[in-house]
Amino acid sequence: MNRISLSHQLKLILILLLLFVLIIFAMVVPVIGKSIEANNPEYAFAFIPCLIWSWCFAVPIILAFVPAWQIFSSVGSEEGCFIKENVKRLKSIALLAYLDALIFPLGMIIVGFLGAGQPGLTVIITPAVIIAAVCVARVFQILAKITEEASDLKEEHDLTV
């Protein structure tokens, strides 16, 4: 399989993931929120703040698709994917994941102050989201380091040839 084909496949996967994320945050989350609101009218006041919180959480995820697309494009390019620009792109994805590790608990604190916090969300889901986001961030930092080392080796090789 050639690099251009790999690049196209990666981009297709990225498009499908973006559609999935958009469906979750634009359609599923509001429907679940409305269902909670209908079944628990005492929480109706929290629908809009929680929806805004979920959308704030979605923004870094959606923004990460831009550098990912650029990385996947480089896979099919002449210079390849082991380039300094991809190091920056991988680091930016890591930063966005760290941002989500902050956004989720901040939103949980606000929801708690509003009086709409739930023990399951606070005790189980919040730490799980933080751990997952930090792990994703760390993976992308490691990939950035590996890509940087490969880029340095590639530059050395290009100079000697």
Side-chain angles (χ1 to χ4, degrees):
M1 190 173 309
N2 67 30
R3 290 188 337 208
I4 293 173
S5 176
L6 289 174
S7 176
H8 290 308
Q9 288 178 38
L10 289 167
K11 288 178 181 179
L12 176 61
I13 291 167
L14 199 62
I15 290 168
L16 294 173
L17 285 172
L18 178 59
L19 288 173
F20 177 74
V21 167
L22 291 173
I23 288 168
I24 294 295
F25 286 102
M27 298 168 76
V28 175
V29 169
V31 167
I32 291 171
K34 282 294 183 185
S35 173
I36 292 169
E37 182 181 49
N39 293 325
N40 304 286
E42 65 274 17
Y43 292 118
F45 70 93
F47 174 72
I48 296 297
C50 287
L51 191 60
I52 292 169
W53 170 36
S54 74
W55 290 343
C56 288
F57 182 74
V59 167
I61 295 169
I62 293 166
L63 289 176
F65 282 87
V66 174
W69 183 272
Q70 294 167 330
I71 292 166
F72 294 167
S73 294
S74 73
V75 170
S77 72
E78 273 300 310
E79 59 187 350
C81 56
F82 297 114
I83 54 175
K84 296 292 183 196
E85 291 86 1
N86 282 348
V87 174
K88 292 176 189 170
R89 292 169 182 151
L90 289 163
K91 287 179 179 179
S92 71
I93 294 171
L95 183 63
L96 290 165
Y98 280 128
L99 183 59
D100 260 352
L102 290 173
I103 290 172
F104 197 88
L106 288 174
M108 191 67 250
I109 290 167
I110 292 168
V111 167
F113 279 127
L114 289 173
Q118 296 292 319
L121 232 107
T122 307
V123 176
I124 298 168
I125 295 175
T126 300
V129 170
I130 293 168
I131 291 167
V134 168
C135 287
V136 167
R138 191 65 189 128
V139 165
F140 278 96
Q141 284 180 314
I142 292 167
L143 288 172
K145 181 66 176 158
I146 292 167
T147 302
E148 185 172 41
E149 289 175 8
S151 173
D152 291 343
L153 285 172
K154 183 177 170 252
E155 284 178 11
E156 285 178 30
H157 179 267
D158 291 346
L159 291 174
T160 58
V161 173

